[in-house]
Amino acid sequence: MGTTQLDATQDVQEPKYWHLKTVLNDALDSEFSVGEILPNERDLAARFGVARATLRQALEQLELEGRLQRRRGVGTTVAPPRMGVAVGPADNAWPGIGNDTWRTVGCAEAVAPAAVARLFDSGAGVPVHTIRRERVMNGQPVATELLYVPAESVPGLPGLLSPATHAPAVLRELQRLDLEGEDRAVELGSARAEDAKQLDRLPGAPVLVVTTRYFAAGQVAAVAISTYRADTCRLTFGDSGAVEVTPHEEQERRQAS
């Protein structure tokens, strides 16, 4: 990299780190390739004539926007183009049906966390079956999910289930219900330690959290909290329900054609 520094006399309205982010973004386009490791913070701060705290703010913003990745044992690298990940698999379908691309990695029965109990409009102490699932696209982990199913939603569940049969049995009983509808909310968050490990990110990395509530018999029958990597994923919502992973540039070319 060269020795370009920010012009301290430049009259800009945005914060200094935001202007630095723009300059860094241009440098990523012109000087680096996907997967390349950036110089250390000391060298970057010296190049641009800024404090390391300002540099960190700019780097964090670029990570949030999907231009950079912090990788365990590697450092900060230039991120690949974001992938379009369809959220679904389809409208009005229970988890595990049709072209569902999630893979179950575990299941347990416990009391729902307080925040989850509120999503069911119920008080504390609600027993739920918790199914942990993950989603991998093109060999890359893109999301992890906790699916909460209250025991009262699946009263026909057999007893004495083994670890191998627990999750399939819960999903099977859930799919016997008449699904009346669902709603979703999307918000920006930070990866918890367990989710970060599954997604091969550092704890605190930016994520997109999709909360889906499934309704049956006039009440919430299940809740899925899906955590997507914000650095590589762009969530898409549509009526087709098709699950498709498309590099950003290819999708733009399709839209332009």
Side-chain angles (χ1 to χ4, degrees):
M1 296 181 83
T3 57
T4 305
Q5 293 194 351
L6 292 183
D7 184 356
T9 64
Q10 186 174 359
D11 182 19
V12 293
Q13 299 300 313
E14 69 257 5
K16 192 170 185 177
Y17 83 89
W18 194 265
H19 180 53
L20 174 60
K21 184 210 75 167
T22 303
V23 175
L24 284 169
N25 197 50
D26 291 340
L28 294 179
D29 288 333
S30 61
E31 303 178 34
F32 292 88
S33 57
V34 170
E36 189 170 349
I37 302 174
L38 265 62
N40 61 43
E41 289 185 359
R42 182 182 65 254
D43 292 343
L44 284 175
R47 168 183 169 171
F48 294 106
V50 298
R52 291 177 69 172
T54 300
L55 175 69
R56 288 193 190 103
Q57 284 183 293
L59 294 177
E60 288 171 359
Q61 187 63 38
L62 287 170
E63 182 187 10
L64 185 64
E65 294 177 4
R67 294 306 315 274
L68 298 176
Q69 292 180 348
R70 290 184 300 159
R71 298 175 59 192
R72 295 175 183 271
V74 176
T76 301
T77 63
V78 181
R82 277 182 169 154
M83 298 181 292
V85 180
V87 176
D91 291 338
N92 295 319
W94 290 111
I97 281 184
N99 58 354
D100 188 330
T101 59
W102 294 88
R103 183 177 73 89
T104 299
V105 295
C107 185
E109 186 173 10
V111 172
V116 174
R118 287 194 292 270
L119 293 172
F120 287 107
D121 298 323
S122 59
V126 179
V128 294
H129 301 278
T130 304
I131 301 175
R132 178 171 284 277
R133 308 200 299 168
E134 65 178 8
R135 193 173 182 184
V136 177
M137 297 272 181
N138 293 345
Q140 176 179 314
V142 296
T144 179
E145 178 181 88
L146 290 174
L147 174 65
Y148 298 95
V149 182
E152 64 179 20
S153 292
V154 287
L157 197 67
L160 301 176
L161 290 166
S162 69
T165 60
H166 193 168
V170 172
L171 291 175
R172 184 170 57 252
E173 289 301 311
L174 191 62
Q175 291 159 12
R176 296 181 190 277
L177 303 178
D178 183 17
L179 179 61
E180 297 171 349
E182 58 195 60
D183 63 27
R184 291 192 181 98
V186 183
E187 58 186 335
L188 183 65
S190 299
R192 302 176 307 156
E194 189 172 3
D195 291 333
K197 183 177 180 180
Q198 279 196 276
L199 296 173
D200 192 27
R201 298 292 88 192
L202 295 175
V207 292
L208 295 169
V209 181
V210 180
T211 301
T212 306
R213 299 192 303 169
Y214 298 89
F215 296 89
Q219 60 186 8
V220 181
V223 168
I225 300 179
S226 311
T227 302
Y228 289 81
R229 286 175 51 167
D231 59 339
T232 59
C233 293
R234 181 182 56 200
L235 306 186
T236 62
F237 299 81
D239 296 330
S240 67
V243 177
E244 181 178 319
V245 181
T246 308
H248 190 131
E249 289 89 345
E250 182 179 348
Q251 188 163 14
E252 288 183 340
R253 286 197 298 269
R254 289 181 181 178
Q255 291 172 346
S257 61

